[in-house]
């Protein structure tokens, strides 16, 4: 089987000489040749970091239609997106120069991760930067649902004074069930306990509880014991449609369901039925199976056939996927993903990549004659032996290799090389039978 070869060399300027040894700052030979495309209004912090490196940065506030995206992506070395841009296999195959994808958000399900890895493209995200923002939103929604604030607000905007206390409650002494006890779930747990709630959680692995929270063995046990159920799980085969008619029927009568995780986790028609017949007293939904590609009057039955029925339900808070949409969260996401892109382009560091072997080497000490070889290849027997034979005539200061599935990645720092050596190493390594991409930085 023939292997598609995509070879790229990024040359780096040599630093000025110093009397003492210092870590060497690796940067592209001409930073201005590196082109970055940022979509969906990436936070200015991320833009500033990339511009500071001297890259050509184009920032667009919206997602692009597929045909425009394909045209744009052909000429860029890195792309930054949020949740609306879809980087499918079709799009990625057109990205001839692309080295790295930065998802300035939590999720990466909008990217074909396998297609990216097979082209030597690392994908980075920021899975934890907005944890506090999401947790605070859930607390706000718990209180709002308990007091029916959404309905009272709408009524008064319509001129209807409706002062009632029926089925309005304090949250103190109520039970919160958290499904998925990761960074968001655990922060929510702490905030909820501080407000006097009892917290149970369910997760597929055994975890150390925060505060006095208790882990339960099954999802059904959590549903049956909780006044509020909040979902914080990733989108996987196991979690898709995890809350359906049977699960909702297991929830306490008069309880509330909150979903700020992924739109495919909850089956909406059974939720609507439970709201209509009074089994549930309310719900808060921040994510949906299908979401508009841009802001505007797009939330209707053409998007999801049950939309009008959901809109008609009482005490339901609907928000447009804003769990992590705070200035603080977006700043942190911009900083984290921006830094990951820079480290990968400049140094080859893949720590934090979601589709790629995660490796790094300590910094090169300042010297004019040391290079870093970055070799992404198919994980087949004998390749490292072949590469080490190529490097056997040189002094390899340090080397690290790892694999993930059928993709492997090697970094090697090689000293005492001249321009002719660099060209020979690049040409021989990049022509290896298993090569996906080869870069040299120095």
């Amino acid at each position: 089987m023939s292997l598609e070869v995509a070879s790229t060399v990024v040359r780096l300027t040599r630093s000025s000489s110093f009397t003492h040894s210092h870590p060497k700052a690796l940067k592209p030979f001409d930073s201005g040749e590196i082109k970055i495309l940022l979509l969906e209004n990436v936070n200015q912090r991320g833009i500033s970091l990339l511009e500071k490196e001297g890259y050509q940065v184009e920032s667009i506030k919206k997602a692009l239609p597929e045909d425009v995206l394909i045209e744009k992506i052909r000429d860029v070395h890195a792309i930054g997106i949020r949740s609306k841009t879809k980087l499918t296999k079709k799009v990625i195959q057109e990205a001839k120069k692309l080295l790295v994808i930065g998802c300035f958000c939590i999720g990466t399900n909008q990217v074909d991760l396998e297609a990216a890895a097979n082209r030597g493209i690392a994908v980075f995200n920021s899975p934890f930067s907005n944890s506090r923002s999401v947790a605070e939103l859930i607390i706000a929604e718990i209180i709002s649902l308990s007091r029916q604030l959404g309905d009272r607000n709408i009524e008064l905007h319509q001129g209807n004074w409706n002062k009632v206390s029926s089925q309005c409650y304090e949250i103190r002494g109520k039970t919160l069930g958290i499904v998925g006890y990761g960074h968001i779930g655990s922060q929510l747990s702490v905030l909820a306990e501080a407000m006097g709630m009892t917290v149970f959680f369910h997760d597929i692995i055994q975890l150390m509880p925060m505060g006095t929270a208790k882990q339960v063995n099954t999802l059904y046990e959590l549903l049956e014991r909780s006044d509020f159920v909040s979902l914080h799980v990733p989108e996987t085969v196991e979690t898709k449609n995890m809350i359906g008619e049977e699960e909702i029927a297991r929830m306490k009568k008069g309880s509330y369901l909150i979903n700020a995780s992924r739109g495919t986790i909850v089956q909406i028609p059974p939720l609507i039925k439970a709201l209509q017949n009074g089994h549930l007293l309310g719900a808060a939904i921040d994510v949906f199976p299908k979401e508009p590609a841009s802001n505007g009057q797009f939330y209707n039955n053409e998007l999801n056939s049950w939309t009008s029925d959901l809109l008609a339900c009482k005490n339901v808070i609907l928000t447009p996927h804003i769990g992590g949409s705070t200035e603080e969260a977006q700043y942190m996401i911009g900083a984290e993903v921006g830094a990951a892109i820079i480290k990968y382009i400049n140094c080859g560091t893949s720590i934090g990549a979601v589709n790629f072997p995660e490796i790094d080497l300590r910094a090169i000490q300042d010297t004019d004659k040391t290079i870093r070889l970055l070799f992404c290849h198919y994980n087949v027997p004998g390749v490292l032996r072949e590469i080490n034979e190529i490097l056997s005539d040189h002094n390899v200061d340090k080397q690290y290799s790892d694999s993930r599935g059928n993709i492997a990645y090697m970094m090697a720092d090689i000293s005492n090389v001249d321009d002719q050596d660099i060209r020979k190493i690049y040409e021989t390594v990049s022509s290896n039978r298993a090569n996906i991409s080869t870069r040299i930085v120095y």
Side-chain angles (χ1 to χ4, degrees), residues 296-349:
Q297 299 290 321
F298 304 118
Y299 188 70
N300 50 44
N301 281 9
E302 292 183 11
L303 188 69
N304 295 294
S305 60
W306 36 255
T307 298
S308 58
D309 292 332
L310 184 61
L311 291 172
C313 292
K314 296 294 186 181
N315 202 25
V316 172
I317 300 170
L318 303 177
T319 48
H321 203 150
I322 59 169
S325 296
T326 64
E327 293 287 353
E328 294 88 349
Q330 293 307 309
Y331 179 92
M332 292 302 299
I333 289 171
E336 182 177 356
V337 180
I341 291 173
I342 292 167
K343 287 181 180 179
Y344 186 72
I345 292 175
N346 290 0
C347 305
T349 301

Side-chain angles (χ1 to χ4, degrees), residues 381-391 432-433:
V383 172
L384 286 181
R385 183 188 70 247
E386 294 164 12
I387 298 302
N388 285 326
E389 287 177 358
I390 295 171
L391 302 180
N432 183 272
R433 61 192 172 92

Side-chain angles (χ1 to χ4, degrees), residues 111-414:
V111 179
D112 189 324
L113 299 178
E114 183 178 359
N118 284 329
R119 295 187 67 85
I121 301 167
V123 180
F124 297 92
N125 67 335
S126 181
F128 312 126
S129 294
N130 67 359
S131 301
R132 177 70 183 202
S133 296
V134 178
E136 287 187 3
L137 177 67
I138 303 306
I139 290 294
E141 290 176 335
I142 290 172
I143 296 171
S144 296
L145 291 171
S146 292
R147 300 296 298 274
Q148 301 180 14
L149 294 183
D151 287 359
R152 298 296 87 78
N153 176 62
I154 292 171
E155 291 163 356
L156 203 53
H157 273 272
Q158 295 171 343
N160 180 22
W161 185 275
N162 184 24
K163 183 178 180 180
V164 296
S165 59
S166 176
Q167 294 186 325
C168 294
Y169 306 99
E170 294 180 355
I171 67 169
R172 178 181 53 176
K174 304 302 185 295
T175 299
L176 170 63
I178 300 172
V179 183
Y181 203 68
H183 283 256
I184 295 173
S186 57
Q187 285 206 39
L188 173 60
S189 171
V190 172
L191 295 176
E193 281 200 348
M195 302 195 73
M197 301 188 79
T198 299
V199 177
F200 293 102
F201 69 91
H202 174 64
D203 203 290
I204 58 175
I205 59 177
Q206 199 71 26
L207 294 167
M208 176 69 71
M210 303 291 285
T212 60
K214 295 180 176 61
Q215 185 166 4
V216 297
N217 293 323
T218 67
L219 174 62
Y220 285 158
E221 182 182 355
L222 180 137
L223 297 175
E224 291 167 355
R225 299 177 71 168
S226 301
D227 299 304
F228 296 85
V229 174
S230 189
L231 308 173
H232 302 283
V233 296
E235 182 179 62
T236 65
V237 173
E238 292 76 20
T239 62
K240 187 174 182 180
N241 296 322
M242 107 184 277
I243 304 297
E245 185 171 6
E246 182 177 354
E247 289 74 21
I248 291 173
R250 290 288 191 112
M251 293 178 65
K252 292 172 64 174
K253 181 175 175 58
S255 59
Y256 307 83
L257 179 64
I258 301 171
N259 184 22
S261 56
R262 286 290 176 261
T264 58
I265 308 302
V266 176
Q267 299 175 42
I268 301 297
L271 172 62
I272 293 172
K273 181 180 177 182
L275 292 164
Q276 290 173 337
N277 63 28
H279 179 66
L280 298 184
L281 282 185
I285 308 296
D286 186 51
V287 289
F288 302 88
K290 295 179 182 178
E291 297 180 357
S294 61
N295 293 342
Q297 299 290 321
F298 304 118
Y299 188 70
N300 50 44
N301 281 9
E302 292 183 11
L303 188 69
N304 295 294
S305 60
W306 36 255
T307 298
S308 58
D309 292 332
L310 184 61
L311 291 172
C313 292
K314 296 294 186 181
N315 202 25
V316 172
I317 300 170
L318 303 177
T319 48
H321 203 150
I322 59 169
S325 296
T326 64
E327 293 287 353
E328 294 88 349
Q330 293 307 309
Y331 179 92
M332 292 302 299
I333 289 171
E336 182 177 356
V337 180
I341 291 173
I342 292 167
K343 287 181 180 179
Y344 186 72
I345 292 175
N346 290 0
C347 305
T349 301
S350 60
I351 300 298
V354 299
N355 70 325
F356 211 71
E358 296 184 67
I359 65 175
D360 192 15
L361 289 177
R362 67 182 184 274
I364 295 175
Q365 295 303 305
D366 184 53
T367 172
D368 284 348
K369 295 183 178 181
T370 300
I371 65 170
R372 175 165 291 177
L373 172 66
L374 308 171
F375 177 51
C376 178
H377 61 93
Y378 291 102
N379 187 20
V380 294
V383 172
L384 286 181
R385 183 188 70 247
E386 294 164 12
I387 298 302
N388 285 326
E389 287 177 358
I390 295 171
L391 302 180
S392 61
D393 292 333
H394 304 281
N395 183 34
V396 178
D397 293 338
K398 47 189 180 292
Q399 181 176 332
Y400 188 13
S401 179
D402 198 2
S403 63
R404 182 170 181 162
N406 68 329
I407 304 298
Y409 186 43
M410 186 198 80
M411 301 174 70
D413 288 350
I414 308 160

